């Protein structure tokens, strides 16, 4: 499956207003964009997810936020994005996810737009690979049918 990197996702129009709060590895691969605003959020996070949240179900207690951050980091998301200001005025400093890019996104940006743009980018990459594979397949088939072993090689 093809992916994009966090640094590529941040170039998408919907994410141009995102602000990095805690530095992380921006070369992490994004497999999908996913909105998770339910209790026990880590249960719903998979490796490579570009995790979008309003913070609706996040705890307010600093110790509980640290635990949430550790649990999310263990899920290995590509990034954690919080819509601000809404349920949180800013990304809670206590919510450290070591190595995971942590971003704030203006709450006016619809998550559906982010998800659509990330997935469209991934699909374009997949389509490009399929087109290249088809061209290679046709070229090899023509070479094989011409009877020239050197053309195939």
């Amino acid at each position: 499956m093809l992916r994009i990197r966090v640094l590529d996702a941040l170039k998408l129009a919907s994410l141009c207003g995102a602000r990095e709060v805690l530095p992380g590895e921006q070369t992490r691969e994004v497999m999908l964009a996913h909105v998770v605003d339910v209790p026990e959020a880590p249960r719903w996070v998979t490796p490579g997810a570009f995790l979008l949240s309003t913070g609706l179900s996040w705890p307010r207690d600093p110790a509980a936020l640290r635990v949430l951050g550790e649990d999310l980091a263990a899920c290995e998301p590509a990034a954690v994005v919080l819509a601000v200001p809404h349920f949180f005025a800013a990304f809670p400093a206590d919510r450290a996810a070591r190595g995971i890019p942590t971003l704030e996104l203006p709450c006016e940006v619809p998550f559906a737009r982010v998800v659509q743009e990330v997935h469209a980018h991934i699909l374009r990459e997949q389509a490009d690979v399929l087109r290249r594979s088809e061209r290679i397949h046709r070229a090899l088939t023509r070479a094989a049918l011409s009877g020239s072993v050197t053309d195939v090689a």
Side-chain angles (χ1 to χ4, degrees):
M1 177 181 289
L2 294 175
R3 307 161 182 95
I4 63 173
R5 295 172 298 164
V6 171
L7 59 95
D8 299 322
L10 291 175
K11 295 174 186 170
L12 297 173
S14 62
L15 292 166
C16 68
R19 184 180 77 82
E20 187 174 36
V21 178
L22 296 173
E25 186 185 332
Q26 288 198 354
T27 56
R28 285 178 167 271
E29 291 184 330
V30 176
M31 296 181 66
L32 66 118
H34 187 41
V35 180
V36 177
D37 265 334
V38 295
E40 301 177 19
R43 289 185 58 209
W44 308 102
V45 179
T46 56
F50 195 81
L51 175 62
L52 301 154
S53 180
T54 63
L56 170 68
S57 64
W58 289 13
R60 300 308 187 258
D61 174 66
L65 277 169
R66 272 192 295 282
V67 170
L68 174 63
E70 292 166 5
D71 291 348
L72 285 174
C75 296
E76 300 179 352
V80 178
V81 182
L82 179 67
V84 295
H86 195 47
F87 295 106
F88 286 89
F91 213 108
D94 296 52
R95 217 249 9 103
R98 291 173 202 88
I100 309 294
T102 304
L103 311 161
E104 290 179 347
L105 184 66
C107 64
E108 298 82 32
V109 178
F111 283 168
R113 183 173 164 217
V114 176
V115 170
Q116 187 275 329
E117 286 184 6
V118 169
H119 291 176
H121 185 90
I122 292 169
L123 289 172
R124 275 193 305 276
E125 291 291 321
Q126 290 175 342
D128 288 347
V129 167
L130 288 173
R131 279 191 287 276
R132 286 192 303 271
S133 296
E134 178 69 17
R135 281 195 304 269
I136 291 168
H137 172 73
R138 288 183 187 280
L140 287 173
T141 301
R142 278 193 303 274
L145 291 174
S146 73
S148 173
V149 174
T150 55
D151 287 344
V152 174

